[in-house]
Structures are given as structure tokens and as C-alpha cells.
Amino acid sequence: MPDATLVIRGGTVIGPERSARLDVAVRDGAVVGLAEAIDPPRGAAVLDATGCLVGPGLVDLHAHLRQPGREEAETIETGARAAALGGYTAIVAMPNTEPAIDSAGVAGEVLALGAGCTAEVAVAGAITVGRAGTALAPLGELAALGVTLFTDDGAGVQDGALMRRALDYAKGLGVTLAQHCEDACLAAGGAMHEGSWSSRLGIPGTPAAAEEAMVARDITLARLTGAPVHFLHLSTAGSVELVRRAKAEGLAVTAEAAPHHMLLTHAAVAGYDPVFRVNPPLRTDEDVAAVVAGLCDGTIDAVATDHAPHAPESKEVPFDQAPPGMLGLQTALPIAWEVLSPHLAPERVFALMSAQPAAIARLTATDPRVGGHSAQGGPVELGAVANLCVFDPAATTVVDPMQLASRSRNTPYAGRTLAGAVRHTVLRGEPVVIDAVAQR
Ligand code: DOR
């Protein structure tokens, strides 16, 4: 084994199928040794991982980084720092920036700003120009830059014929369209889930059908075109069941769910606190149970944060006037752990947050282009790029909004104690987080 410059000692390495108590030796950005006991060479850095799980760095399919245009809420640098603190080594930046990421110029700017951050930043391109839903964005031009995921997230593509045409192009280009499933007419005016709580609180609701109608339409378009479709932030039992049936039929559909839809319900809105306004909205107990069941049985492929920072003053308004969205990057793994580890083996929890999202975003192989990524999603094996997340399941994370790395404070978990804590994050062999402290 070549002399390591970094040794991670005492942890349990998460394999794709099973895990083992192993130390990890790293050199030149790669894993060069895996053994029960590795003596660190003189001068090597040592990270203590006693009692921790050493898994592949997490990959987030869904992060709103707000740059360009809303830097008061987040920047690519602060979002990437929050990501690293959350155990992520790669995040996909959503295109609902100002201007939108609908051209090679804006995509190139975001990729350039992401280079050198504490997590790798990939971009999702917009499906339509300005995310306005009327004309296709230059998908080919963006694909040539390495963009593999396209979405108008924040809004769904309402025009079915345009979506069909986008899917035909995407198939030819070998890229994936990701849909924010929301029928704008059905959802119009709603600020929370339409149900018992919206009636009680007097807040206009959005029915589950607004999401399910578009999931159903896009499943039929996936069947028609043969192009893959990824469903963003599924939140209803009906959506999960539609995707389950589409997968059983063999269609090329994938789906993600956000941590808040695995844990919180519309009852959280009872105090009218705008921090709980999010889109899709927090739903019922039955919906939460269906989302968790979908993650457990493989219907939902990935946990994705939908990290949506909003500057404090923009959330200090009445509930129905506040922008939807909540922070997610620094709390996702503890929440996924709390919700999923009673049902799933640790390897499966990590797969939902690393290998599977990396495969959906096609980040598993190193892209040598400027702004390109290193191989993401593991497995942690000899010769692999050392993108690692070291997680202590026995520790706890106490959420203090003022201590988060994000520029915004809109976490729905303020004051909560969550199960487990991210201890170290290693990006291409560099410890970017040590003992829960960002190194730069
Ligand atoms: O809650 C949300 N916030 N849902 C979205 O689809 C967009 C996001 C945002 O950009 O703030």
C-alpha cells in the first residue's frame, strides 16, 4: 500500500451489500487501503471514526443555491458548505435562479462558481426558456456542457405537447427530465395541503390531485416516448402508487422524496409559521407513511433535500404570502436515519442518499471537463475516489438555525434534537469537514 496521507480510523465501512469494521487509507484523492488496522504513516492526518459509519459521500439531486440573483438567501459557496456539513460531496443546483439556468452562459457561470467549493456542484438546466413553460431551452447546448438533468422545478411543465417534445429531445441527447409535478390550475391559490387542517386554519389548500394529475400524465408520456422521467419531491400516497405501478410495468421512471415529506405533516402549519410553507405542501399522516413505504420498497429511488433557502425577511410575512421552501442540506441525513433506519439496513439508507441519486444524475464516473465532477456515489473500495461521509449514528444533532452554514435560517427543525450526526466529510481525499466543523 502506498503511504497514506490521511487515515480514517475505527469506523465501519458501508459496502453496497454489507459493511465491515475497517480503517481507510487515502492518498492523492483515492482510497489506497482498507484494513482492520492501518498504522498512519508519520505526518499523515488521522480522522477518528470510532463508532461511526464510513459511507460514500452523499449526493443531493435537488438543491436551490440561489446564485445568480438571490445571493441574500444563499450563494453557491454557502450552499456547498452547508452540503459538506450535511455529509454531501455533490449537489445538483436547481435552475430557478435569476436568470434561470436556461443557457450555456448561465450554466457555465454556476459551474465555475462551484469549482473549488467544499462540495462538487453539478447543475440542472431548465426545460423551457426562463422556466416560462412556452419554448424549449437549448437542451443540446446545455448537454454539451455536461448537464444531464433538466427541470423547470418550482413549476411543472404544464403543456403536455411541449413536455412530449422535450422528452423526445432528451431521449436523443441521453439526458433525463425531472418534473416538478403540479397542475397549476388545480393548485392555483393554494398555500398548504387541502384537507382537514386547511379548513380549520382558513388557509386555501392545494389538493393531492394537483400533484397526482401530473405524475399520471408524465407516466403516460414516458410510455409514449420511451424517455426516462424523474419525479421530484413526491409527497402523496397516490403519487407513490402511480410510480409503483409504472415501475412494475417496466417504464424508465425514477423518483425522489424530501426529508420533510418523510417526517412532517400539515398539522405543523397549525401555528401559521411560514417556515412550514413548502411546495409540495406538508401532507397527511397517510401520505407520510406512503412516502416512507415507497422509500423502503424501492418505489422511491432517492432522498433529495429540496434545500430552499429564503432570506429571513421574506419569511416574516403572513403564511400565505411567504415563499415556499425550507432548508434541508444540514439535516437530511439525521432525518433519513431517524425515519428509515428502523426499517432499512444502513447500506440501503446510504444507497438512497448516494449511489442511487448519483446514478440518476449520471455523476458516477469522473467528468474531466472544466467544472466536471469526480466519481460520486461510491462504493468505498480500493482505487475509488475518496468522497466520503463519516456519520455517527449514536450522536445527536441539535438544530440551531443561527449555527447553520446557510445564509438563510428557514429550517423547520429549530430546537429539535435529531438522531445521528455527520462527523467528517472527505471530498476527493481532502477533509472538508472535521468533527462537524467546515475547514474552509
Ligand atoms: O418549496 C419549494 N421551494 N418548492 C419548490 O418547488 C421551489 C422551492 C424554491 O425554489 O424555493
Side-chain angles (χ1 to χ4, degrees), residues 41-372:
R42 213 144 41 125
V46 177
L47 296 180
D48 178 27
T50 309
C52 295
L53 303 173
V54 181
L58 307 184
V59 174
D60 188 20
L61 286 170
H62 198 142
H64 297 276
L65 301 182
R66 304 295 188 225
Q67 194 176 7
R70 284 261 169 240
E71 288 82 355
E72 74 282 10
E74 197 74 289
T75 65
I76 291 165
E77 187 187 349
T78 58
R81 192 171 296 122
L85 285 162
Y88 288 89
T89 52
I91 51 180
V92 178
M94 287 289 109
N96 62 336
T97 47
E98 296 170 18
I101 307 177
D102 62 359
S103 68
V106 183
E109 183 190 337
V110 172
L111 288 171
L113 286 165
C117 283
T118 48
E120 291 180 356
V121 177
V123 304
I127 297 173
T128 67
V129 175
R131 299 174 44 257
T134 46
L136 283 189
L139 306 187
E141 188 181 307
L142 285 152
L145 273 184
V147 176
T148 58
L149 214 56
F150 290 83
T151 178
D152 277 0
D153 183 58
V157 177
Q158 303 299 314
D159 180 335
L162 190 63
M163 188 65 187
R164 176 192 183 181
R165 199 140 50 84
L167 285 166
D168 280 333
Y169 275 108
K171 192 178 175 196
L173 291 167
V175 300
T176 300
L177 301 192
Q179 186 71 284
H180 167 117
C181 292
E182 182 177 18
D183 178 305
C185 293
L186 283 169
M192 68 176 293
H193 173 67
E194 181 182 296
S196 54
W197 277 101
S198 64
S199 314
R200 210 172 309 175
L201 298 171
I203 297 174
T206 301
E211 176 174 310
E212 292 156 4
M214 194 169 280
V215 173
R217 183 201 73 181
D218 283 2
I219 287 172
T220 66
L221 292 180
R223 188 183 296 116
L224 178 67
T225 60
V229 177
H230 177 68
F231 293 107
L232 299 169
H233 45 47
L234 288 190
S235 69
T236 81
S239 298
V240 176
E241 186 52 28
L242 285 163
V243 171
R244 186 176 285 121
R245 283 195 230 146
K247 283 193 165 185
E249 190 190 324
L251 298 178
V253 296
T254 53
E256 64 178 44
H260 44 269
H261 292 128
M262 298 154 57
L263 184 68
L264 304 175
T265 72
H266 56 164
V269 181
Y272 295 92
D273 184 344
V275 83
F276 295 107
R277 181 162 186 202
V278 66
N279 198 19
L282 301 176
R283 307 270 188 195
T284 66
D285 287 304
E286 292 73 28
D287 293 314
V288 169
V291 166
V292 173
L295 285 157
C296 290
D297 73 8
T299 300
I300 302 176
D301 305 86
V303 173
T305 67
D306 198 1
H307 177 82
H310 290 288
E313 56 281 11
S314 72
K315 281 281 196 184
E316 283 160 12
V317 295
F319 186 89
D320 60 352
Q321 288 165 36
M326 18 179 91
L327 301 182
L329 284 166
Q330 278 185 253
T331 48
L333 181 53
I335 290 169
W337 190 258
E338 187 169 314
V339 174
L340 298 175
S341 67
H343 312 290
L344 294 179
E347 298 77 25
R348 299 260 324 270
V349 178
F350 268 85
L352 283 163
M353 301 188 75
S354 54
Q356 288 169 196
I360 291 167
R362 297 180 167 89
L363 300 176
T364 52
T366 296
D367 178 345
R369 280 177 282 209
V370 179

